[in-house]
Amino acid sequence: MEKSNRLLELSRFLQDPHLVAHFQHICGVRGTFTRTAVGGGNDREATPSETQNNGACYHQLDEDDGGEAVDVDLGTAGVRKREKHREEDPPHNGSLPTKTPAAGVSDHSGAMTDEAGAASRVKPLRRNSLTGDAGQEFLIENRVFYYLFSFGTELGNELFYITFFPFLLWNVDAFVSRRLIMVWVWVMYLGQCTKDVIGWSRPASPPVVKMEVFYNSEYSMPSTHAMSGTAIPFALFILTCDRWQYSFTLGLVLALCWCLLVCVSRIYLGMHSVLDVIVGVFYSVLILLLFLPAMDAIDDFVLTCVHAPLVIVCVHLGLGLFSFTLDTWSTSRGDTAQILGSGGGIALASHVNHRLGLMADPPPERLPLSLPALSGGLVGTAALRFLLGVLVVVATRALMKALTIPLVCRLLAIPGGDMRKARQHAEVELSYRYIVYGTVGFNTLFLVPLLFSYLPLC
């Protein structure tokens, strides 16, 4: 009983948003919350439109609001008041300004800066994909941490995966790439479903500074960034350590650094509690322990079984239908459909390639493979293949998106004039994601390599 109470106390401590806020404070992140947000004084309460999903509460004073705004110095008990400036704030596009006022002088936005311009006023780089919320401004006092952890969180975002997986597939090792995509699909799917089953809110703001709001309407436990940031580098290391000739120690260190950077970045950006991240790491390790031993059997079935295409389609659609009944509509529904669609397309293309004898895996006697020496010709060929492949993938996505959304809207009798509003209907969003990204995944592994075989320079 005493041990369970200690574990409960520890979990509450690790989930405390003030722990996240304290880490942000150490790293030089300062919030610009108003009195309404921090709940001080006799100011009015925040309206429902000012209270964001998952405990995030924002309020910005308008020019006619006549009150004071305050900067919350996270990690301390005091609150610094500043008089609200009448000058209009300069536009912000998410980039750090290069010029700042002299020491002790307040800039147009009210942020105090020193001679070196240590404090920079910025906003989240991406809006929330569902609500359009742009987020609350914040102050950055340590640019090194800001850029480092912004890069770290990108290692778990869509842009990284849609460039990393194709590059690995087209230029390095298709065998490793398709298996790595299997891992990614299962880890992300199970992570998203678990989020909706548990239904825990993201860290409250304030005291946490939400430096990213793109995923703010999703639940928090576990961190799928931490899950993918653990599963992908370590699965890549496990799949290649006996297949390619390279330093075991170097590979392990790179995997650890990749994992650590992604995990810490989610706390720095204020999107997850420490407990979310820890659970995400151990959850992905558990999935790897169960999934990797079955990888050979699954891959062999996908490649060789005559009924594999039907099973692939049914499994990926069935998994989606199950997960979409877990909760109300949110951005995680579309992300799950996109992941399942991409994985299904890749699996179907793997089966077709095997049937046609395309992109055959090297025979076992050639293993382990050695890394080729870097040369201008090798780099140029890899860059050309990647550029052509990306053009095909982007064209596929644009064409399928232009065709799919109006078609689905017409079939479902949903107004399709405003694409954003149309996609907020679950039937439109899920159908669009499945069809578009299933086609993108298929062309990535089948059409693009087939095109390369007809181009001598590739």
Side-chain angles (χ1 to χ4, degrees), residues 75-343:
T76 64
V79 175
R80 240 181 328 109
K81 292 185 178 180
R82 62 173 172 82
E83 292 295 329
K84 180 178 176 291
H85 284 254
R86 290 290 178 181
E87 293 83 2
E88 184 178 356
D89 285 354
H92 301 288
N93 59 4
S95 58
L96 295 175
T98 55
K99 294 182 180 180
T100 55
V105 179
S106 175
D107 64 13
H108 288 292
S109 63
M112 298 300 294
T113 58
D114 59 17
E115 292 181 353
S120 302
R121 193 182 187 98
V122 296
K123 293 190 73 172
L125 296 178
R126 291 183 296 272
R127 294 174 179 267
N128 184 284
S129 59
L130 182 67
T131 65
D133 174 35
Q136 174 75 22
E137 290 180 332
F138 51 88
L139 306 179
I140 294 296
E141 295 182 351
N142 189 314
R143 299 189 185 196
V144 174
F145 284 150
Y146 177 77
Y147 290 124
L148 177 65
F149 292 125
S150 294
F151 171 75
T153 202
E154 288 300 328
L155 293 177
N157 283 341
E158 177 187 356
L159 180 61
F160 171 74
Y161 291 119
I162 63 178
T163 54
F164 174 73
F165 287 143
F167 183 86
L168 187 66
L169 184 106
W170 297 331
N171 292 305
V172 183
D173 195 332
F175 173 89
V176 170
S177 182
R178 71 170 184 263
R179 293 189 172 210
L180 199 61
I181 291 172
M182 286 187 201
V183 172
W184 173 70
V185 169
W186 278 102
V187 165
M188 293 299 294
Y189 173 77
L190 292 173
Q192 294 284 20
C193 290
T194 305
K195 275 185 178 182
D196 294 329
V197 170
I198 296 176
W200 283 9
S201 299
R202 291 188 182 271
S205 176
V208 172
V209 181
K210 293 290 182 71
M211 301 173 65
E212 180 185 76
V213 294
F214 186 76
Y215 300 105
N216 197 40
S217 31
E218 296 180 12
Y219 291 121
S220 182
M221 167 65 76
S223 168
T224 47
H225 269 76
M227 291 181 67
S228 63
T230 301
I232 297 303
F234 283 101
L236 180 62
F237 172 68
I238 293 170
L239 291 171
T240 58
C241 64
D242 292 328
R243 184 176 175 84
W244 286 84
Q245 293 179 347
Y246 64 86
S247 169
F248 181 91
T249 302
L250 177 62
L252 182 60
V253 169
L254 289 177
L256 285 170
C257 291
W258 181 340
C259 175
L260 185 63
L261 187 58
V262 174
C263 292
V264 177
S265 72
R266 302 311 288 167
I267 302 173
Y268 174 84
L269 294 177
M271 296 309 294
H272 285 285
S273 68
V274 177
L275 184 62
D276 295 340
V277 171
I278 293 175
V279 172
V281 170
F282 282 101
Y283 192 15
S284 63
V285 170
L286 177 62
I287 294 172
L288 287 179
L289 291 176
L290 297 176
F291 188 69
L292 287 179
M295 182 76 74
D296 288 336
I298 296 173
D299 192 44
D300 184 65
F301 173 83
V302 169
L303 295 180
T304 62
C305 181
V306 67
H307 303 296
L310 179 61
V311 173
I312 290 168
V313 172
C314 291
V315 167
H316 285 80
L317 286 176
L319 291 174
L321 292 174
F322 168 75
S323 67
F324 304 145
T325 62
L326 293 176
D327 196 12
T328 56
W329 172 248
S330 73
T331 52
S332 64
R333 305 284 78 69
D335 293 339
T336 303
Q338 181 172 318
I339 291 166
L340 291 172
S342 302

Side-chain angles (χ1 to χ4, degrees), residues 30-45:
R30 302 290 183 269
T32 55
F33 307 111
T34 66
R35 181 187 297 274
T36 301
V38 296
N42 297 319
D43 294 78
R44 64 178 177 85
E45 295 182 357

Side-chain angles (χ1 to χ4, degrees), residues 388-410:
L388 291 176
V390 167
L391 289 177
V392 172
V393 169
V394 170
T396 300
R397 181 182 179 275
L399 177 62
M400 293 303 299
K401 182 177 180 180
L403 295 175
T404 302
I405 296 180
L407 177 61
V408 173
C409 289
R410 178 174 297 182

Side-chain angles (χ1 to χ4, degrees), residues 42-62:
N42 297 319
D43 294 78
R44 64 178 177 85
E45 295 182 357
T47 65
S49 62
E50 293 161 356
T51 303
Q52 308 299 318
N53 286 342
N54 299 311
C57 181
Y58 301 122
H59 173 59
Q60 287 180 288
L61 293 177
D62 299 323

